[in-house]
């Protein structure tokens, strides 16, 4: 069976960098934005639109998740589209996991692939460090005050949590859903990645 | 400055084994029960009594922690003794950290040594795995049903959480208080320890 590493990550914590470095060090395939491109291709929707749906909260008329049951008294075309995109994402992630060893960033891959026992990483950091990383790496941060940037980080992570909880019925960031939780606040990412790679040697 | 690894751990998760193996692999000093023995020696109290106080919840007439302030309208000799033991433990942990590179298990060492920037591990596992480990390793489990053992594990961890929160004002197990959180449920401990040791190579 292929070895699969899934990465849940707080926005601004360097989760994508950990994933990319890990895939390079291990020679595993790396899937992140590639998933969005593939969904867009298959559904004929724009990448921008797909990205908005798979990165942010699910589109729904109102909160409807009760345990594992979905109650949808009022369906809408937008809701249908959100569900179709999630279903396509689900298929693509399963196909990718069957193709080769791989690292998959975000997108509930830990849950979607739970029967293949992936190694589930969660990457996080303190707020100060997330703000600094966004300033260093992201274009989003340009023109934002620290207060605005902090709120933006909180909003994105809140959306990720809602998205994850909606589709998995689990709590995003709850340590029991992961095999290893890495705080990147004071971490040397290169060394940390080498250590994690050692688990797959 | 000496390299210090502190280990917070859920009862039954194998935190002590991780600590012991890590100290052996790195050649660091290892402190766990040794701290209790040293406190007993210095305070002339029995090891059993000291153990009960430093492992379980702090002795206090009633819950009194509000943020970082302590409100103690009703002091008692037992309370004084608890405080004296904590103070002695505090001194001993700081002395140990000054002596050499070391691994310290439990006892709020992450907080006590926060100015020396220790590497802070938290070891956890799911309940089923903790029950299995207790059955395998601990004498406590003998003669308990699974239900009783589960309750015992919950009780010990609740006490650890209260003790930690009482003396640090922080939440026990909150990922932001640790650099790395390791789920031992499906982990190969030997390999995991080697990976962590790689961070100190």
């Amino acid at each position: 069976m292929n070895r699969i590493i899934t990465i849940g990550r707080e926005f601004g914590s360097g989760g994508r960098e950990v994933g990319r470095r890990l895939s390079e060090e291990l020679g595993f395939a790396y899937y992140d934005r590639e998933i969005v491109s593939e969904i867009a291709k298959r559904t004929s929707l724009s990448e921008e639109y797909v990205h908005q749906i798979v990165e942010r909260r699910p589109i729904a008329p109102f909160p409807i998740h009760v345990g594992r049951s979905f109650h949808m008294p009022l369906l809408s075309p937008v809701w249908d589209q959100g569900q179709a995109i999630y279903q396509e994402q689900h298929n693509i992630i399963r196909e990718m996991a069957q193709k080769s060893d791989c690292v998959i960033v975000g997108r509930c891959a830990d849950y979607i692939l739970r029967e293949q026992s992936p190694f589930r990483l969660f990457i996080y950091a303190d707020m100060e460090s997330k703000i600094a990383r966004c300033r260093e790496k992201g274009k989003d941060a340009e023109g934002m005050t620290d207060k605005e940037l902090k709120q933006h980080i909180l909003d994105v992570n809140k959306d990720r949590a809602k998205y994850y909880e909606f589709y998995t019925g689990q709590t995003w960031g709850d340590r029991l859903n992961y095999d290893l939780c890495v705080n990147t606040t004071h971490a040397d990412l290169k060394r940390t990645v080498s250590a994690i790679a050692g688990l797959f040697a």
Side-chain angles (χ1 to χ4, degrees), chain A residues 9-12 54-58 122 127 130 149-167 170-173:
Chain A
R9 75 293 182 221
E10 288 182 349
F11 179 65
V54 299
E55 273 290 293
R56 299 299 171 85
R57 69 185 70 193
F122 188 79
M127 181 52 79
K130 285 185 283 203
L149 183 51
K150 182 182 170 184
Q151 193 54 53
H152 177 62
I153 292 169
L154 289 171
D155 288 346
V156 173
N157 285 328
K158 203 168 161 189
D159 283 350
R160 287 188 180 172
K162 286 202 174 175
Y163 183 86
Y164 184 85
E165 283 164 35
F166 185 86
Y167 282 114
Q170 298 180 163
T171 302
W172 185 74

Side-chain angles (χ1 to χ4, degrees), chain A residues 46-155:
Chain A
S46 77
E47 283 200 27
E48 185 54 36
Y49 181 74
V50 173
H51 176 70
Q52 190 199 320
I53 294 202
V54 299
E55 273 290 293
R56 299 299 171 85
R57 69 185 70 193
I59 290 172
F62 42 79
I64 40 76
H65 191 255
V66 183
R68 293 287 168 86
S69 312
F70 289 84
H71 299 278
M72 285 301 305
L74 185 63
L75 291 168
S76 75
V78 179
W79 162 256
D80 286 348
Q81 210 162 56
Q83 286 302 91
I85 286 172
Y86 182 76
Q87 190 53 50
E88 203 55 70
Q89 178 170 261
H90 188 104
N91 298 338
I92 290 166
I93 285 173
R94 294 181 76 91
E95 287 170 29
M96 285 166 167
Q98 292 217 320
K99 232 188 268 181
S100 68
D101 295 336
C102 59
V103 175
I104 304 177
V105 177
R107 297 166 181 87
C108 310
D110 56 324
Y111 182 79
I112 291 170
L113 300 173
R114 64 195 180 281
E115 282 162 24
Q116 278 106 304
S117 307
F119 186 78
R120 303 157 303 166
L121 275 170
F122 188 79
I123 312 295
Y124 65 100
D126 69 16
M127 181 52 79
E128 203 177 325
S129 161
K130 285 185 283 203
I131 288 175
R133 173 170 284 273
C134 284
R135 290 238 174 271
E136 193 192 337
K137 302 267 176 179
K139 285 178 195 148
D140 292 4
E142 282 170 21
M144 285 190 198
T145 64
D146 268 5
K147 197 179 160 192
E148 286 165 345
L149 183 51
K150 182 182 170 184
Q151 193 54 53
H152 177 62
I153 292 169
L154 289 171
D155 288 346

